[in-house]
Amino acid sequence: MSSISQRGNERLLSEVAGSHSRDNKILVLGGNGYVGSHICKEALRQGFSVSSLSRSGRSSLHDSWVDDVTWHQGDLLSPDSLKPALEGITSVISCVGGFGSNSQMVRINGTANINAVKAAAEQGVKRFVYISAADFGVINNLIRGYFEGKRATEAEILDKFGNRGSVLRPGFIHGTRQVGSIKLPLSLIGAPLEMVLKLLPKEVTKIPVIGPLLIPPVNVKSVAATAVKAAVDPEFASGVIDVYRILQHGH
């Protein structure tokens, strides 16, 4: 291929990508959190229009990308506060979740997200992506409300969005997590474990009791890249995306 025709093809691909970017407006629920902030950054890096809704509103980080996000303050337990943020949105990515008593966990991981799914469907949003969690066997029983809420949200997404909905189920998400002015280097533990455990056959994770502990950790950047791809690519596989597929798509 001549250099002229190669440049022409590259320009065409760039124009298509640019048009693709302009057509997609992504709303990240919980965009000022650990995973949510990485998703915002990744979506901006790819040229998409990004907004976020959370109870605290604007991110407290002082990074330059923060100024490129439209920040909304709202509470998913009060669904009406979500409607202004959904105007013109084509894709929603929810990172909303948390811990507490069983009833609190059902409300945060379930009710709040289900409200968002219903509102997005009513608003005509094209795609909905949810950051859920891998099954951890007996551990699930220790935080029962957390997984009850997660699975209820998953069911709602697959019901309301069908093949336009994607559920990501990572295990331990490593990377650099900022808490106030402190940066926690979670990859010091997570990265070596990921390197070792992803070499094991997937079947070992099915071993009773110990199997779920062998689920590979995944880098937060891989989760972010997979989430954005699921939000904008109509060819992306819908349904439940496990850790191994996140590792595959995120690199």
Side-chain angles (χ1 to χ4, degrees):
M1 181 185 293
S2 72
S3 60
I4 294 175
S5 60
Q6 184 174 357
R7 284 197 299 272
N9 286 339
E10 288 173 352
R11 186 167 61 251
L12 178 60
L13 287 171
S14 176
E15 289 172 356
V16 170
S19 173
H20 185 57
S21 297
R22 286 191 296 273
D23 289 343
N24 286 281
K25 298 184 185 300
I26 300 173
L27 172 65
V28 182
L29 304 177
N32 57 4
Y34 171 47
V35 176
S37 62
H38 281 84
I39 290 174
C40 287
K41 284 192 286 186
E42 176 62 22
L44 289 169
R45 187 188 69 79
Q46 294 189 33
F48 298 113
S49 171
V50 180
S51 57
S52 167
L53 180 138
S54 62
R55 285 184 297 175
S56 54
R58 184 181 173 88
S59 172
S60 60
L61 298 176
H62 299 293
D63 299 340
S64 59
W65 64 267
V66 172
D67 293 330
D68 296 325
V69 176
T70 301
W71 299 96
H72 300 276
Q73 189 168 10
D75 187 346
L76 298 185
L77 292 172
S78 302
D80 286 345
S81 69
L82 179 59
K83 290 180 180 177
L86 281 170
E87 290 181 12
I89 294 298
T90 55
S91 303
V92 172
I93 303 174
S94 178
C95 312
V96 172
F99 297 95
S101 68
N102 271 319
S103 60
Q104 288 173 328
M105 289 190 286
V106 170
R107 287 173 68 237
I108 297 167
N109 299 285
T111 309
N113 281 299
I114 289 170
N115 287 344
V117 174
K118 290 178 177 176
E122 289 171 4
Q123 194 74 20
V125 169
K126 293 178 181 176
R127 301 184 71 79
F128 199 107
V129 181
Y130 179 48
I131 311 301
S132 189
D135 276 314
F136 280 100
V138 293
I139 295 176
N140 289 19
N141 296 323
L142 301 177
I143 46 174
R144 182 171 45 82
Y146 179 83
F147 284 96
E148 279 184 16
K150 293 281 189 188
R151 300 302 176 248
T153 297
E154 292 179 7
E156 189 71 20
I157 291 168
L158 300 179
D159 176 56
K160 292 287 190 295
F161 283 87
N163 62 5
R164 296 176 295 113
S166 298
V167 171
L168 276 58
R169 285 188 182 176
F172 173 59
I173 301 175
H174 67 88
T176 300
R177 182 168 193 160
Q178 186 148 348
V179 180
S181 60
I182 301 171
K183 291 186 177 181
L184 302 178
L186 302 181
S187 286
L188 288 178
I189 298 171
L193 281 174
E194 177 184 336
M195 290 296 293
V196 172
L197 294 179
K198 72 181 182 182
L199 297 175
L200 299 177
K202 182 178 177 179
E203 289 70 29
V204 301
T205 63
K206 306 298 182 186
I207 298 172
V209 184
I210 66 166
L213 302 177
L214 301 176
I215 295 172
V218 60
N219 192 288
V220 66
K221 292 180 180 178
S222 296
V223 175
T226 306
V228 173
K229 187 175 180 63
V232 302
D233 186 354
E235 301 300 318
F236 188 88
S238 59
V240 175
I241 313 298
D242 68 13
V243 173
Y244 297 92
R245 290 171 68 192
I246 294 171
L247 289 168
Q248 175 188 348
H249 287 294
H251 289 289

Coordinates of all heavy atoms in Angstrom, one line a residue, residues 7-94:
R7 N -2.2 7.0 4.3 CA -2.6 8.2 5.0 C -4.1 8.5 4.8 O -4.8 9.0 5.7 CB -1.8 9.4 4.6 CG -0.3 9.4 5.1 CD 0.3 10.8 5.0 NE 0.4 11.3 3.6 CZ 1.4 11.0 2.8 NH1 2.4 10.3 3.3 NH2 1.4 11.4 1.6
G8 N -4.6 8.2 3.6 CA -6.0 8.4 3.3 C -6.9 7.5 4.2 O -7.9 8.0 4.7
N9 N -6.4 6.3 4.3 CA -7.2 5.3 5.1 C -7.2 5.8 6.6 O -8.2 5.7 7.3 CB -6.6 3.9 5.0 CG -7.0 3.3 3.7 OD1 -7.9 3.7 3.0 ND2 -6.2 2.3 3.3
E10 N -6.0 6.2 7.1 CA -5.9 6.6 8.5 C -6.8 7.9 8.7 O -7.4 8.0 9.8 CB -4.4 7.0 8.8 CG -3.5 5.8 8.9 CD -2.1 6.1 9.0 OE1 -1.7 7.3 8.9 OE2 -1.2 5.2 9.2
R11 N -6.8 8.8 7.7 CA -7.7 10.0 7.9 C -9.1 9.6 7.9 O -9.9 10.1 8.7 CB -7.4 11.0 6.8 CG -8.2 12.3 6.9 CD -7.6 13.3 6.0 NE -7.8 13.0 4.6 CZ -6.8 12.7 3.8 NH1 -5.6 12.6 4.2 NH2 -7.0 12.3 2.5
L12 N -9.5 8.6 7.1 CA -10.9 8.1 7.1 C -11.3 7.5 8.4 O -12.4 7.8 8.9 CB -11.1 7.1 5.9 CG -12.5 6.5 5.8 CD1 -13.5 7.6 5.5 CD2 -12.5 5.5 4.7
L13 N -10.4 6.7 8.9 CA -10.7 6.0 10.2 C -10.8 7.1 11.3 O -11.6 6.9 12.2 CB -9.5 5.0 10.5 CG -9.5 3.7 9.7 CD1 -8.3 2.9 10.0 CD2 -10.8 2.9 10.0
S14 N -9.9 8.1 11.2 CA -10.0 9.1 12.2 C -11.3 9.9 12.2 O -11.9 10.2 13.2 CB -8.8 10.1 12.0 OG -8.8 11.2 12.9
E15 N -11.7 10.2 10.9 CA -13.0 10.9 10.8 C -14.2 10.1 11.3 O -15.1 10.6 11.9 CB -13.2 11.3 9.3 CG -12.2 12.4 8.8 CD -12.3 12.6 7.3 OE1 -13.1 11.8 6.6 OE2 -11.6 13.5 6.8
V16 N -14.1 8.8 11.0 CA -15.2 7.9 11.5 C -15.2 7.9 13.0 O -16.3 8.0 13.6 CB -15.0 6.5 10.9 CG1 -16.0 5.5 11.6 CG2 -15.3 6.5 9.4
A17 N -14.0 7.7 13.6 CA -13.9 7.7 15.0 C -14.4 9.0 15.6 O -15.1 9.0 16.7 CB -12.4 7.5 15.5
G18 N -14.0 10.1 15.0 CA -14.5 11.4 15.5 C -16.0 11.6 15.5 O -16.6 12.1 16.4
S19 N -16.6 11.2 14.3 CA -18.0 11.2 14.2 C -18.7 10.3 15.3 O -19.6 10.7 15.9 CB -18.5 10.7 12.8 OG -19.9 10.6 12.7
H20 N -18.1 9.1 15.5 CA -18.5 8.2 16.5 C -18.5 8.8 17.8 O -19.4 8.6 18.6 CB -17.6 6.9 16.4 CG -18.1 5.8 17.3 ND1 -19.3 5.2 17.2 CD2 -17.4 5.1 18.2 CE1 -19.4 4.2 18.0 NE2 -18.3 4.1 18.7
S21 N -17.4 9.5 18.1 CA -17.3 10.1 19.5 C -18.3 11.2 19.7 O -18.9 11.3 20.8 CB -15.9 10.7 19.6 OG -14.9 9.7 19.5
R22 N -18.5 12.0 18.6 CA -19.5 13.1 18.8 C -20.9 12.6 19.0 O -21.7 13.3 19.6 CB -19.4 14.1 17.6 CG -18.2 14.9 17.5 CD -18.3 16.0 16.4 NE -18.4 15.4 15.1 CZ -17.4 15.1 14.4 NH1 -16.1 15.3 14.8 NH2 -17.5 14.6 13.2
D23 N -21.2 11.4 18.5 CA -22.6 10.9 18.6 C -22.9 10.3 20.0 O -24.0 10.1 20.3 CB -22.8 9.8 17.5 CG -22.9 10.4 16.1 OD1 -23.1 11.6 16.0 OD2 -22.7 9.6 15.2
N24 N -21.8 10.1 20.8 CA -22.0 9.4 22.1 C -21.8 10.4 23.2 O -20.8 11.0 23.3 CB -21.1 8.2 22.2 CG -21.5 7.0 21.3 OD1 -22.4 6.3 21.7 ND2 -20.8 6.9 20.2
K25 N -22.8 10.4 24.1 CA -22.7 11.2 25.3 C -22.9 10.3 26.5 O -24.0 9.7 26.6 CB -23.8 12.4 25.2 CG -23.6 13.3 24.1 CD -24.6 14.5 24.1 CE -24.5 15.4 22.9 NZ -23.2 16.0 22.8
I26 N -21.9 10.2 27.3 CA -21.9 9.2 28.4 C -22.2 9.8 29.7 O -21.5 10.8 30.1 CB -20.5 8.4 28.4 CG1 -20.3 7.7 27.0 CG2 -20.5 7.4 29.5 CD1 -18.9 7.1 26.9
L27 N -23.1 9.3 30.5 CA -23.3 9.7 31.8 C -22.7 8.6 32.8 O -23.1 7.4 32.7 CB -24.8 9.9 32.1 CG -25.2 10.1 33.6 CD1 -24.6 11.5 34.1 CD2 -26.7 10.1 33.8
V28 N -21.8 9.0 33.6 CA -21.2 8.0 34.6 C -21.8 8.3 36.0 O -21.7 9.4 36.5 CB -19.7 8.2 34.7 CG1 -19.1 7.2 35.6 CG2 -19.1 8.0 33.3
L29 N -22.5 7.3 36.5 CA -23.1 7.4 37.8 C -22.1 7.0 38.8 O -21.5 5.9 38.8 CB -24.4 6.5 37.9 CG -25.5 6.7 36.9 CD1 -26.6 5.7 37.1 CD2 -26.0 8.2 36.9
G30 N -21.8 8.0 39.7 CA -20.7 7.7 40.7 C -19.3 8.0 40.0 O -18.3 7.4 40.3
G31 N -19.3 9.0 39.2 CA -18.1 9.4 38.4 C -17.0 10.0 39.2 O -15.8 10.2 38.7
N32 N -17.2 10.3 40.5 CA -16.2 10.9 41.3 C -15.5 9.9 42.2 O -14.7 10.2 43.1 CB -16.7 12.1 42.1 CG -17.9 11.8 43.0 OD1 -18.3 10.6 43.1 ND2 -18.4 12.7 43.7
G33 N -15.9 8.6 42.1 CA -15.4 7.5 42.9 C -14.1 6.9 42.3 O -13.7 7.4 41.2
Y34 N -13.6 5.9 42.9 CA -12.4 5.2 42.4 C -12.5 4.7 41.0 O -11.8 5.1 40.1 CB -12.1 4.1 43.4 CG -11.0 3.1 43.0 CD1 -9.8 3.6 42.5 CD2 -11.2 1.8 43.1 CE1 -8.7 2.7 42.1 CE2 -10.2 0.9 42.8 CZ -8.9 1.4 42.3 OH -8.0 0.5 41.9
V35 N -13.5 3.8 40.7 CA -13.7 3.3 39.4 C -14.3 4.3 38.5 O -13.9 4.5 37.3 CB -14.6 2.0 39.5 CG1 -14.9 1.5 38.0 CG2 -13.9 0.9 40.3
G36 N -15.3 5.1 39.0 CA -15.9 6.1 38.2 C -15.0 7.1 37.6 O -15.1 7.5 36.4
S37 N -14.0 7.6 38.4 CA -13.1 8.6 37.9 C -12.3 8.1 36.8 O -12.0 8.8 35.8 CB -12.3 9.1 39.0 OG -11.5 8.1 39.6
H38 N -11.9 6.8 36.9 CA -11.1 6.2 35.8 C -11.9 6.0 34.5 O -11.4 6.2 33.4 CB -10.5 4.9 36.2 CG -9.3 5.0 37.1 ND1 -9.4 5.2 38.5 CD2 -8.0 4.9 36.8 CE1 -8.1 5.2 39.0 NE2 -7.3 5.1 38.0
I39 N -13.2 5.7 34.7 CA -14.1 5.6 33.5 C -14.2 7.0 32.8 O -14.2 7.1 31.6 CB -15.4 5.0 33.9 CG1 -15.3 3.5 34.3 CG2 -16.5 5.2 32.8 CD1 -16.5 2.9 34.8
C40 N -14.4 8.0 33.6 CA -14.5 9.4 33.1 C -13.3 9.7 32.3 O -13.4 10.2 31.2 CB -14.7 10.4 34.2 SG -16.4 10.4 35.0
K41 N -12.1 9.5 32.9 CA -10.9 9.8 32.2 C -10.7 9.0 30.9 O -10.3 9.5 29.9 CB -9.7 9.5 33.1 CG -9.5 10.5 34.2 CD -8.1 10.3 34.9 CE -8.1 9.1 35.8 NZ -6.9 9.0 36.6
E42 N -11.1 7.7 30.9 CA -10.9 6.9 29.7 C -11.9 7.4 28.6 O -11.5 7.4 27.4 CB -11.2 5.4 30.0 CG -11.2 4.5 28.9 CD -9.9 4.4 28.1 OE1 -8.8 4.7 28.8 OE2 -9.9 4.0 26.9
A43 N -13.1 7.7 29.0 CA -14.1 8.2 28.0 C -13.6 9.5 27.4 O -13.8 9.7 26.2 CB -15.5 8.3 28.6
L44 N -13.1 10.4 28.2 CA -12.6 11.7 27.7 C -11.4 11.4 26.8 O -11.3 12.1 25.8 CB -12.2 12.6 28.9 CG -13.3 13.2 29.7 CD1 -12.7 13.8 31.0 CD2 -14.1 14.2 29.0
R45 N -10.5 10.5 27.2 CA -9.4 10.2 26.4 C -9.8 9.7 24.9 O -9.1 10.1 24.0 CB -8.5 9.1 27.0 CG -7.2 8.8 26.3 CD -6.5 7.6 26.9 NE -7.2 6.3 26.6 CZ -7.2 5.7 25.4 NH1 -6.4 6.2 24.4 NH2 -7.8 4.6 25.2
Q46 N -10.9 9.1 24.9 CA -11.4 8.6 23.6 C -12.2 9.6 22.8 O -12.7 9.4 21.7 CB -12.2 7.3 23.7 CG -11.4 6.1 24.2 CD -12.2 4.8 24.2 OE1 -13.0 4.6 23.3 NE2 -11.9 3.9 25.1
G47 N -12.4 10.8 23.4 CA -13.0 11.9 22.8 C -14.5 12.0 23.0 O -15.2 12.7 22.3
F48 N -15.1 11.3 23.9 CA -16.5 11.3 24.2 C -16.9 12.5 25.1 O -16.1 12.9 25.9 CB -17.0 10.0 24.8 CG -16.8 8.8 23.9 CD1 -15.9 7.8 24.2 CD2 -17.4 8.7 22.7 CE1 -15.6 6.7 23.4 CE2 -17.2 7.6 21.8 CZ -16.3 6.7 22.2
S49 N -18.1 12.9 25.0 CA -18.7 13.9 25.9 C -19.1 13.1 27.2 O -19.8 12.1 27.1 CB -20.0 14.5 25.3 OG -20.6 15.3 26.2
V50 N -18.6 13.6 28.3 CA -18.8 12.9 29.6 C -19.4 13.8 30.6 O -19.1 14.9 30.8 CB -17.4 12.4 30.1 CG1 -17.6 11.6 31.4 CG2 -16.8 11.5 29.1
S51 N -20.4 13.2 31.3 CA -21.0 13.9 32.5 C -21.1 12.9 33.6 O -21.0 11.7 33.4 CB -22.4 14.5 32.2 OG -23.3 13.5 31.7
S52 N -21.3 13.3 34.8 CA -21.4 12.5 36.0 C -22.4 12.9 36.9 O -22.7 14.1 37.0 CB -20.0 12.4 36.7 OG -20.1 11.8 38.0
L53 N -23.1 12.0 37.6 CA -24.0 12.3 38.7 C -23.6 11.5 39.9 O -23.4 10.3 39.8 CB -25.4 12.0 38.2 CG -26.5 12.3 39.3 CD1 -27.7 12.9 38.7 CD2 -26.9 11.0 40.1
S54 N -23.6 12.2 41.0 CA -23.4 11.5 42.3 C -23.9 12.4 43.4 O -24.3 13.6 43.2 CB -21.9 11.3 42.6 OG -21.2 12.6 42.6
R55 N -24.0 11.9 44.6 CA -24.6 12.7 45.7 C -23.7 13.9 46.1 O -24.2 14.9 46.5 CB -24.8 11.8 47.0 CG -26.0 10.9 46.8 CD -26.2 10.1 48.1 NE -25.1 9.2 48.4 CZ -25.0 8.5 49.5 NH1 -25.9 8.5 50.4 NH2 -23.9 7.7 49.7
S56 N -22.4 13.8 45.9 CA -21.5 14.9 46.2 C -21.2 15.8 45.1 O -20.6 16.9 45.3 CB -20.2 14.3 46.8 OG -19.6 13.4 45.9
G57 N -21.6 15.5 43.9 CA -21.4 16.3 42.7 C -20.0 16.3 42.2 O -19.5 15.2 41.9
R58 N -19.4 17.5 42.0 CA -18.1 17.6 41.4 C -17.0 16.8 42.2 O -17.0 16.8 43.4 CB -17.7 19.1 41.3 CG -16.4 19.3 40.6 CD -16.0 20.8 40.6 NE -14.7 21.1 40.1 CZ -14.5 21.3 38.8 NH1 -15.4 21.2 37.9 NH2 -13.2 21.5 38.4
S59 N -16.1 16.2 41.4 CA -15.0 15.5 42.0 C -14.1 16.4 42.8 O -13.9 17.6 42.5 CB -14.1 14.8 40.9 OG -13.0 14.3 41.5
S60 N -13.5 15.9 43.9 CA -12.6 16.7 44.8 C -11.2 16.7 44.3 O -10.3 17.4 44.8 CB -12.7 16.2 46.2 OG -12.3 14.9 46.3
L61 N -11.0 15.9 43.2 CA -9.6 15.8 42.7 C -9.3 17.1 41.9 O -10.1 17.8 41.4 CB -9.5 14.6 41.7 CG -9.8 13.2 42.3 CD1 -9.7 12.2 41.1 CD2 -8.7 12.9 43.3
H62 N -8.0 17.4 41.9 CA -7.5 18.6 41.2 C -6.9 18.3 39.9 O -6.1 19.2 39.4 CB -6.6 19.4 42.1 CG -7.2 19.8 43.4 ND1 -8.2 20.7 43.5 CD2 -7.0 19.4 44.7 CE1 -8.6 20.9 44.8 NE2 -7.9 20.1 45.5
D63 N -7.2 17.2 39.3 CA -6.6 16.8 38.0 C -7.3 17.6 36.9 O -8.4 18.0 37.0 CB -6.7 15.3 37.7 CG -6.0 14.5 38.8 OD1 -5.1 15.0 39.5 OD2 -6.4 13.3 39.0
S64 N -6.5 17.8 35.8 CA -7.0 18.6 34.7 C -8.3 18.1 34.0 O -9.2 18.8 33.6 CB -5.9 18.8 33.6 OG -5.5 17.6 33.1
W65 N -8.4 16.8 34.0 CA -9.6 16.2 33.3 C -10.9 16.5 34.0 O -12.0 16.5 33.4 CB -9.4 14.6 33.3 CG -9.4 13.9 34.6 CD1 -8.4 13.6 35.3 CD2 -10.6 13.5 35.3 NE1 -8.7 13.0 36.5 CE2 -10.1 12.9 36.5 CE3 -12.0 13.5 35.1 CZ2 -11.0 12.4 37.5 CZ3 -12.8 13.0 36.1 CH2 -12.3 12.4 37.2
V66 N -10.9 16.9 35.3 CA -12.1 17.2 36.0 C -12.9 18.3 35.4 O -14.1 18.3 35.4 CB -11.7 17.5 37.5 CG1 -13.0 18.0 38.3 CG2 -11.1 16.3 38.2
D67 N -12.1 19.3 34.8 CA -12.8 20.4 34.2 C -13.5 20.1 32.9 O -14.3 20.8 32.4 CB -11.8 21.5 33.9 CG -11.2 22.1 35.2 OD1 -11.9 22.2 36.2 OD2 -10.0 22.5 35.2
D68 N -13.2 18.9 32.3 CA -13.8 18.5 31.1 C -15.1 17.6 31.3 O -15.7 17.2 30.3 CB -12.8 17.7 30.2 CG -11.6 18.5 29.8 OD1 -11.8 19.7 29.6 OD2 -10.5 18.0 29.8
V69 N -15.5 17.4 32.5 CA -16.7 16.6 32.8 C -17.8 17.6 33.3 O -17.5 18.5 34.0 CB -16.4 15.6 34.0 CG1 -17.7 14.8 34.4 CG2 -15.3 14.6 33.5
T70 N -19.0 17.3 32.9 CA -20.1 18.1 33.4 C -20.6 17.3 34.7 O -21.0 16.2 34.6 CB -21.3 18.1 32.4 OG1 -20.8 18.7 31.2 CG2 -22.5 18.9 32.9
W71 N -20.6 18.0 35.8 CA -20.9 17.4 37.1 C -22.3 17.7 37.5 O -22.7 18.9 37.6 CB -19.9 17.8 38.2 CG -18.5 17.4 37.8 CD1 -17.5 18.2 37.2 CD2 -17.8 16.2 38.0 NE1 -16.4 17.5 37.0 CE2 -16.5 16.3 37.5 CE3 -18.3 15.0 38.5 CZ2 -15.6 15.2 37.5 CZ3 -17.4 13.9 38.6 CH2 -16.1 14.0 38.1
H72 N -23.0 16.7 37.9 CA -24.4 16.8 38.4 C -24.5 16.3 39.8 O -23.8 15.3 40.1 CB -25.4 16.1 37.6 CG -25.5 16.5 36.1 ND1 -26.3 17.6 35.7 CD2 -24.9 16.0 35.0 CE1 -26.1 17.7 34.4 NE2 -25.3 16.8 34.0
Q73 N -25.2 17.0 40.7 CA -25.4 16.5 42.0 C -26.8 15.9 42.1 O -27.8 16.5 41.7 CB -25.2 17.6 43.1 CG -25.2 17.1 44.5 CD -24.8 18.2 45.5 OE1 -24.6 19.3 45.1 NE2 -24.5 17.8 46.7
G74 N -27.0 14.7 42.6 CA -28.3 14.1 42.7 C -28.2 12.8 43.5 O -27.1 12.3 43.9
D75 N -29.4 12.2 43.8 CA -29.5 11.0 44.6 C -30.4 10.0 43.9 O -31.5 10.3 43.6 CB -30.1 11.3 46.0 CG -30.1 10.1 46.9 OD1 -29.8 9.0 46.5 OD2 -30.3 10.4 48.1
L76 N -29.8 8.8 43.5 CA -30.6 7.8 42.8 C -31.8 7.3 43.6 O -32.7 6.7 43.0 CB -29.7 6.7 42.4 CG -28.5 7.0 41.4 CD1 -27.8 5.8 41.0 CD2 -29.0 7.8 40.2
L77 N -31.8 7.5 44.9 CA -32.9 7.1 45.7 C -34.1 8.1 45.6 O -35.2 7.9 46.0 CB -32.5 6.9 47.1 CG -31.6 5.7 47.4 CD1 -31.1 5.7 48.8 CD2 -32.3 4.4 47.0
S78 N -33.8 9.3 44.9 CA -34.8 10.2 44.5 C -34.7 10.4 43.0 O -34.0 11.3 42.5 CB -34.5 11.6 45.2 OG -34.4 11.5 46.6
P79 N -35.4 9.5 42.3 CA -35.2 9.3 40.8 C -35.4 10.6 40.1 O -34.8 10.8 39.0 CB -36.3 8.3 40.5 CG -36.6 7.5 41.7 CD -36.4 8.5 42.8
D80 N -36.2 11.6 40.6 CA -36.5 12.8 39.8 C -35.2 13.6 39.7 O -35.0 14.4 38.7 CB -37.5 13.7 40.5 CG -38.9 13.1 40.3 OD1 -39.1 12.2 39.4 OD2 -39.9 13.5 41.1
S81 N -34.2 13.4 40.6 CA -33.0 14.2 40.5 C -32.1 13.7 39.4 O -31.1 14.4 39.0 CB -32.2 14.1 41.8 OG -31.7 12.8 42.1
L82 N -32.4 12.6 38.8 CA -31.7 12.0 37.7 C -32.1 12.5 36.4 O -31.3 12.6 35.4 CB -31.8 10.5 37.8 CG -31.1 9.6 36.7 CD1 -29.6 9.9 36.7 CD2 -31.4 8.1 36.9
K83 N -33.3 12.9 36.2 CA -33.9 13.3 34.9 C -33.1 14.4 34.2 O -32.8 14.3 33.0 CB -35.3 13.6 35.1 CG -36.2 12.4 35.4 CD -37.7 12.8 35.5 CE -38.5 11.6 35.8 NZ -40.0 11.9 36.0
P84 N -32.7 15.5 34.8 CA -32.0 16.5 34.1 C -30.6 16.0 33.6 O -30.2 16.4 32.5 CB -31.8 17.6 35.2 CG -32.9 17.4 36.2 CD -33.1 15.9 36.2
A85 N -30.0 15.2 34.3 CA -28.7 14.6 33.9 C -28.8 13.7 32.7 O -27.8 13.5 32.0 CB -28.0 13.9 35.1
L86 N -30.0 13.1 32.5 CA -30.2 12.1 31.4 C -30.5 12.8 30.1 O -30.5 12.1 29.0 CB -31.3 11.2 31.8 CG -30.9 10.0 32.7 CD1 -32.2 9.3 33.2 CD2 -29.9 9.1 32.1
E87 N -30.7 14.1 30.1 CA -31.1 14.8 28.8 C -30.0 14.7 27.8 O -28.8 15.1 28.1 CB -31.5 16.2 29.1 CG -32.8 16.4 29.9 CD -33.1 17.8 30.1 OE1 -32.5 18.7 29.5 OE2 -34.0 18.1 30.9
G88 N -30.3 14.1 26.6 CA -29.3 14.0 25.5 C -28.3 12.9 25.7 O -27.4 12.7 24.9
I89 N -28.4 12.1 26.7 CA -27.4 11.0 27.0 C -27.7 9.8 26.1 O -28.9 9.4 26.0 CB -27.5 10.6 28.5 CG1 -27.0 11.8 29.4 CG2 -26.7 9.4 28.8 CD1 -25.5 12.2 29.1
T90 N -26.7 9.2 25.6 CA -26.9 8.0 24.8 C -26.5 6.7 25.5 O -27.0 5.6 25.3 CB -26.0 8.0 23.5 OG1 -24.6 8.3 23.8 CG2 -26.5 9.2 22.6
S91 N -25.6 6.8 26.5 CA -25.1 5.7 27.3 C -24.9 6.0 28.7 O -24.5 7.1 29.1 CB -23.8 5.1 26.7 OG -23.9 4.8 25.4
V92 N -25.3 5.1 29.6 CA -25.1 5.3 31.0 C -24.2 4.2 31.5 O -24.3 3.0 31.2 CB -26.4 5.2 31.8 CG1 -26.2 5.2 33.3 CG2 -27.3 6.4 31.5
I93 N -23.2 4.5 32.4 CA -22.3 3.6 33.1 C -22.5 3.8 34.6 O -22.2 4.9 35.0 CB -20.9 3.7 32.7 CG1 -20.7 3.6 31.2 CG2 -20.0 2.7 33.4 CD1 -19.2 3.9 30.7
S94 N -23.0 2.8 35.3 CA -23.2 3.0 36.7 C -22.1 2.3 37.5 O -21.8 1.1 37.3 CB -24.5 2.4 37.2 OG -24.6 2.6 38.6

